[in-house]
């Protein structure tokens, strides 16, 4: 069986959560005998060269389509040149199933092509882009993110990104956006999402009437027992931290504030995408008196940062749709404290996890840091087995076969 993954990006250009998932899913599907190739967008605009760059990543052929500046989301979601390129690639390679992991970067107009060629379409809602022009449903200050199909608060929220834009123009653009995306996803034969929360947002806020099957991403790679983090022994420094992209919406500032005055080290692993935020964090941690350990970069082939923690904290302000970092922390034997945003709230019943409103983060950490017994109990409660990308691949293959 030949399957085409359609994505917004692909390593090595980008290695965010969705990119990590699609690469791992492709790897496991190939192990099950599926012929996988990818049509990928790009964050880099085309200034010279060919429309499509052909490359291979971990055995997967990747056809990377470059956009012009005028083909970004602000100029609509259907771009005829990009549609022609995708059409040509699908006609040339003739997959039986097209699995769309993201419409952003390439835009809409893909599912009608698949229907025309008799190709089956699976859509996975990795993020909330189909319900939010800002991706993450994190509104600007003073704006409350709406529920359902209300777009009233979205107009001033988007206007913050487009200074001087007429609000009536923005409202009309959002209406067109909804119309295009509803039509696009309506042509999918099957829809999946990594969490019940992600599925609910799409059902209620796009809206989307068809069933959405929840298939957790799970752990992307097994963790050998020798890679488990060391247990915390009182008398030694308690290592508290987070890993992944270090951006404001992931709650970096909130974590720094919450550990102020606590007897612990703060470990932050991953890139700061804002030099100003990094400078602020360094200054505030120094003023707090905590020891700061920074690890700007790490790859899957290197020592995982969870191995150097006793307690992982992810106080995200995003409406999270899954949370790969939570699986990674737990798989390394590290309890996790999470905000109650989005799919993180679903983890409340999982052993080794504490879910809390961000406003209560400092008091929760103060209680845990002062009680070695509670941290030990959290670690002991971590499940012996966690969802895996292998199970996700097996379930998606079942769906592909059923469609074929």
């Amino acid at each position: 069986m030949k399957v085409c993954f359609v994505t917004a990006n692909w390593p090595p250009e980008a290695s965010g959560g969705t990119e990590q998932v699609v690469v791992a899913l492709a790897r496991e599907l190939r192990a099950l005998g599926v012929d996988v190739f990818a049509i990928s967008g790009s964050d880099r605009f085309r200034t010279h060269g060919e429309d499509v760059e052909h490359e291979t990543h971990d055995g997967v052929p990747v056809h990377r389509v470059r956009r012009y500046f005028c083909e970004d989301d602000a100029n609509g979601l259907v771009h005829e040149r990009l549609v022609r390129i995708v059409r040509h690639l699908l006609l040339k390679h003739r997959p039986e199933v097209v699995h769309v992991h993201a419409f952003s970067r390439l835009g809409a107009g893909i599912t009608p092509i698949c229907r025309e060629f008799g190709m089956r379409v699976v859509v996975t809602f990795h993020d909330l882009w189909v319900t939010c022009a800002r991706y993450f449903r994190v509104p600007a200050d003073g704006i409350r993110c709406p529920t359902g199909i209300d777009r009233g608060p979205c107009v001033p929220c988007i206007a913050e990104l487009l200074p001087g834009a007429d609000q009536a123009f923005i409202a009309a653009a959002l209406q067109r956006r909804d119309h295009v995306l509803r039509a696009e996803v309506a042509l999918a034969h099957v829809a999946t999402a990594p969490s019940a929360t992600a599925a609910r947002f799409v059902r209620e806020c796009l809206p989307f009437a068809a069933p959405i099957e929840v298939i957790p991403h799970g752990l992307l790679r097994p963790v050998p027992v020798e890679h488990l983090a060391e247990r915390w022994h009182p008398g030694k420094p308690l290592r508290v931290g987070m890993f992944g992209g270090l951006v404001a919406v992931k709650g970096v500032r909130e974590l720094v504030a919450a550990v102020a005055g606590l007897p612990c080290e703060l470990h932050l692993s991953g890139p700061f995408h804002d030099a100003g935020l990094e400078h602020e964090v360094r200054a505030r941690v120094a003023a707090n008196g905590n020891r700061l350990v920074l690890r700007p970069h790490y790859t899957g082939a290197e020592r995982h940062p969870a191995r150097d923690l006793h307690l992982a904290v992810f106080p995200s302000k995003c409406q999270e749709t899954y949370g790969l970092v939570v699986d990674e922390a737990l798989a390394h034997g590290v309890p996790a404290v999470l905000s109650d945003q989005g799919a993180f709230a679903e983890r409340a019943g999982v052993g080794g996890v504490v879910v809390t409103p961000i406003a209560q983060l400092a008091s929760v950490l103060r209680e845990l840091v002062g009680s070695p017994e509670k941290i030990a109990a959290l670690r002991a409660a971590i499940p012996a087995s966690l969802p895996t990308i292998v199970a996700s691949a097996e379930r998606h293959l079942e769906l592909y076969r059923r469609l074929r």
Side-chain angles (χ1 to χ4, degrees):
M1 178 186 295
K2 180 180 283 191
V3 176
C4 173
F5 278 12
V6 175
T7 69
N9 213 320
W10 198 278
E13 183 180 308
S15 297
T18 299
E19 286 80 25
Q20 292 180 49
V21 169
V22 295
V23 167
L25 184 60
R27 180 188 70 230
E28 298 304 330
L29 286 170
R30 291 177 68 240
L32 294 171
V34 179
D35 181 5
V36 180
F37 73 97
I39 300 175
S40 172
S42 172
D43 293 340
R44 300 173 185 169
F45 291 100
R46 181 187 171 192
T47 56
H48 61 278
E50 301 294 327
D51 287 332
V52 184
E53 296 177 3
H54 306 281
E55 54 198 85
T56 300
H57 185 272
D58 288 347
V60 176
V62 179
H63 308 283
R64 195 183 302 276
V65 181
R66 301 285 189 190
R67 299 173 295 161
Y68 288 112
F69 288 103
C70 61
E71 294 171 329
D72 64 359
D73 293 351
N75 291 299
L77 298 183
V78 180
H79 302 286
E80 293 302 325
R81 187 185 70 92
L82 299 180
V83 171
R84 286 196 302 271
I85 292 171
V86 172
R87 180 187 181 88
H88 170 75
L89 290 169
L90 290 177
L91 186 60
K92 178 180 179 179
H93 296 283
R94 288 283 181 179
E96 296 160 86
V97 175
V98 177
H99 190 158
V100 181
H101 294 274
F103 291 102
S104 61
R105 303 296 183 271
L106 291 175
I110 296 170
T111 57
I113 298 172
C114 299
R115 286 282 188 160
E116 177 188 348
F117 292 161
M119 300 168 184
R120 301 325 225 186
V121 183
V122 178
V123 171
T124 294
F125 298 109
H126 288 266
D127 53 46
L128 300 177
W129 181 81
V130 295
T131 75
C132 174
R134 294 185 66 154
Y135 272 84
F136 304 113
R137 299 187 71 87
V138 179
D141 290 343
I143 298 174
R144 185 177 182 84
C145 205
T147 58
I149 60 173
D150 178 19
R151 297 293 183 264
C154 302
V155 174
C157 192
I158 297 300
E160 185 193 56
L161 301 178
L162 302 172
D166 179 72
Q167 295 211 356
F169 171 81
I170 295 174
L174 288 172
Q175 187 176 26
R176 288 194 299 272
R177 183 181 196 274
D178 284 340
H179 177 76
V180 168
L181 289 175
R182 288 166 188 162
E184 186 78 13
V185 301
L187 294 179
H189 294 91
V190 169
T192 71
S195 66
T197 298
R200 176 177 57 82
F201 269 116
V202 173
R203 277 197 303 267
E204 296 177 0
C205 300
L206 185 55
F208 183 71
I212 302 175
E213 180 167 346
V214 175
I215 305 177
H217 297 319
L219 195 64
L220 302 188
R221 290 188 180 277
V223 176
V225 66
E226 61 269 23
H227 288 185
L228 293 180
E230 295 180 356
R231 297 178 183 275
W232 177 41
H233 298 287
K236 292 188 175 182
L238 176 67
R239 299 191 291 269
V240 176
M242 65 185 295
F243 49 86
L246 302 178
V247 294
V249 293
K250 292 296 184 178
V252 179
R253 289 189 178 97
E254 286 72 14
L255 175 55
V256 170
V259 300
L262 298 182
C264 64
E265 296 179 353
L266 179 60
H267 289 236
L268 301 176
S269 299
F272 276 99
H273 298 288
D274 180 345
L277 178 61
E278 179 179 2
H279 178 77
E280 176 187 339
V281 165
R282 288 178 179 272
R284 292 183 65 179
V285 174
N288 292 344
N290 298 101
R291 178 172 181 258
L292 177 63
V293 178
L294 292 178
R295 184 178 170 189
H297 304 286
Y298 64 92
T299 67
E302 299 171 340
R303 179 185 178 89
H304 196 283
R307 295 176 64 181
D308 298 316
L309 297 179
H310 299 120
L311 184 66
V313 186
F314 304 109
S316 177
K317 297 188 286 186
C318 297
Q319 294 295 343
E320 296 288 347
T321 54
Y322 187 67
L324 295 173
V325 290
V326 183
D327 288 340
E328 292 170 358
L330 297 179
H332 285 87
V334 179
V337 177
L338 316 178
S339 69
D340 59 355
Q341 298 298 294
F344 277 5
E346 297 180 30
R347 306 276 188 148
V350 176
V353 173
V354 176
V355 175
T356 178
I358 296 177
Q360 298 177 18
L361 180 62
S363 61
V364 168
L365 292 184
R366 190 180 306 113
E367 183 178 354
L368 289 174
V369 170
S371 176
E373 297 81 8
K374 289 184 178 179
I375 291 181
L378 279 175
R379 177 166 177 146
I382 295 174
S385 62
L386 296 164
T388 68
I389 195 68
V390 174
S392 174
E394 291 171 347
R395 179 58 188 142
H396 278 101
L397 181 54
E398 289 178 13
L399 295 177
Y400 299 162
R401 287 172 171 164
R402 187 181 76 194
L403 290 175
R404 187 178 63 173

